[in-house]
Amino acid sequence: MKKHTNITPLVSVITPLYNASTYIIKTIESLQNQTYSHWEQLIVNDFSSDNSLEVVEQLSKNDSRIRIVTLDKNYGAAYCRNRATEIANGEYIAFLDADDLWHPEKLEKQLSFMQDNNAVVSYTNYLHIDKEGKSLGKRIKALPKLTYQKQHSNNYIGNLTGIYNVSKIGKIIAPNIRKRQDWAVWLEAIKKSNRPALGLQEDLAYYRVHEESMSANKWNLVTYNFSFYKTYLGYSWIKASFWLLRFFYEYFFKRVQWIEKVAQE
């Protein structure tokens, strides 16, 4: 596949790392195989107890685009993403967790899409895969336009698909909440951009579903969704409860329209 020849702009790809030695090699390879090559990967090792750090250190020896930050205790994914965001050099910021994958043309197609449409925030379709990387037959489609109001009612942006333009809105720091930090980041990015996020309706990322993943425990996230409205947005108990109900209405009756089955390989 022909490599992208334009060396600008730089994209900072943020990867929290915690005990992901089983997956991290494939994740990094999916980034190294991008047709758009002007990126840096900021891997923040969150005090892994397996050999994840040794694996990424070995890979970084042969690729200067990989930068590693090592923490002295476990802080959680939000802290790791914020730490990487603070030191990122890119004009654009994207996120790729240590067990997820990107399509080889993800960066090239998405950056071209953003530049052609003057988009500040963008995201794409993504597919669910299992531990072995096989399709689970599920596609999450990107809305063509995602307003602040729509994102406020539900998190429509798969974190592994989103990109925002730092030069236009600055760096977005996630709030110090245990879950749903990515929802907060994309909501704030849309707010700061003062325009809808634009969705590229192509399958350009692969979200791995396993026992530890959030998608495997949807009902356990009710309290986190409530906390998002009450703690992060500062709503009263009554207002937060109203928006939690609104969240479920959106999730079960609206968002389902953007989820579809696909043929499994």
Side-chain angles (χ1 to χ4, degrees):
M1 191 174 290
K2 184 179 179 180
K3 294 291 182 180
H4 196 289
T5 56
N6 183 10
I7 64 170
T8 57
L10 178 67
V11 181
S12 294
V13 181
I14 293 174
T15 303
L17 176 66
Y18 179 72
N19 290 354
S21 59
T22 304
Y23 309 112
I24 188 61
I25 294 176
K26 292 293 185 182
T27 298
I28 292 175
E29 286 178 348
S30 80
L31 182 53
Q32 291 175 320
N33 290 334
Q34 290 295 303
T35 56
Y36 187 93
S37 59
H38 196 217
W39 50 262
E40 62 172 0
Q41 184 179 29
L42 303 167
I43 299 176
V44 182
N45 178 46
D46 197 17
F47 204 60
S48 294
S49 58
D50 66 359
N51 66 331
S52 293
L53 179 58
E54 290 79 3
V55 169
V56 296
E57 285 180 335
Q58 186 63 37
L59 292 172
S60 68
K61 290 179 181 178
N62 299 315
D63 195 333
S64 61
R65 296 172 298 179
I66 300 173
R67 300 166 59 192
I68 302 170
V69 176
T70 301
L71 304 182
D72 58 3
K73 65 179 181 178
N74 183 263
Y75 287 90
Y79 181 93
C80 293
R81 294 187 183 116
N82 286 342
R83 179 74 174 270
T85 296
E86 289 169 354
I87 64 173
N89 295 317
E91 184 178 337
Y92 291 85
I93 283 181
F95 300 90
L96 178 62
D97 282 356
D99 54 354
D100 295 332
L101 305 171
W102 279 354
H103 185 282
E105 295 180 295
K106 200 261 189 189
L107 286 179
E108 181 175 2
K109 286 189 173 183
Q110 196 167 354
L111 289 176
S112 295
F113 172 77
M114 293 181 75
Q115 292 165 359
D116 292 344
N117 293 279
N118 195 29
V120 178
V121 181
S122 77
Y123 63 120
T124 77
N125 295 355
Y126 63 98
L127 300 172
H128 280 192
I129 58 175
D130 65 12
K131 285 184 176 182
E132 286 72 42
K134 298 178 181 178
S135 171
L136 289 173
K138 185 176 182 180
R139 171 186 290 124
I140 311 298
K141 296 178 65 178
L143 281 67
K145 289 187 178 182
L146 178 62
T147 64
Y148 177 87
Q149 291 76 16
K150 189 75 168 175
Q151 176 71 357
H152 180 273
S153 64
N154 209 278
N155 184 17
Y156 277 91
I157 298 180
N159 200 49
L160 74 164
T161 77
I163 295 180
Y164 69 86
N165 189 326
V166 176
S167 64
K168 297 288 182 65
I169 61 174
K171 295 178 177 180
I172 309 295
I173 300 300
N176 187 26
I177 54 179
R178 185 63 183 170
K179 300 288 185 180
R180 297 315 213 182
Q181 314 95 350
D182 56 330
W183 185 6
V185 166
W186 296 115
L187 186 67
E188 182 67 13
I190 294 172
K191 181 180 180 180
K192 285 191 171 184
S193 71
N194 199 32
R195 68 186 72 177
L198 298 186
L200 175 56
Q201 294 185 313
E202 293 192 40
D203 303 334
L204 297 179
Y206 305 90
Y207 178 79
R208 198 182 302 272
V209 179
H210 45 77
E211 288 81 359
E212 296 80 20
S213 69
M214 292 176 64
S215 288
N217 301 281
K218 291 292 187 184
W219 287 106
N220 292 338
L221 294 174
V222 172
T223 55
Y224 296 121
N225 293 333
F226 180 79
S227 179
F228 174 81
Y229 290 114
K230 189 174 189 303
T231 304
Y232 171 61
L233 292 178
Y235 291 169
S236 67
W237 195 94
I238 294 175
K239 189 174 182 180
S241 298
F242 168 81
W243 277 105
L244 181 62
L245 292 175
R246 182 69 176 80
F247 171 92
F248 284 118
Y249 170 78
E250 190 77 18
Y251 185 84
F252 288 110
F253 296 102
K254 297 294 183 180
R255 183 168 179 171
V256 68
Q257 301 171 22
W258 297 94
I259 302 174
E260 62 185 23
K261 293 182 179 180
V262 295
Q264 293 181 252
E265 298 179 356

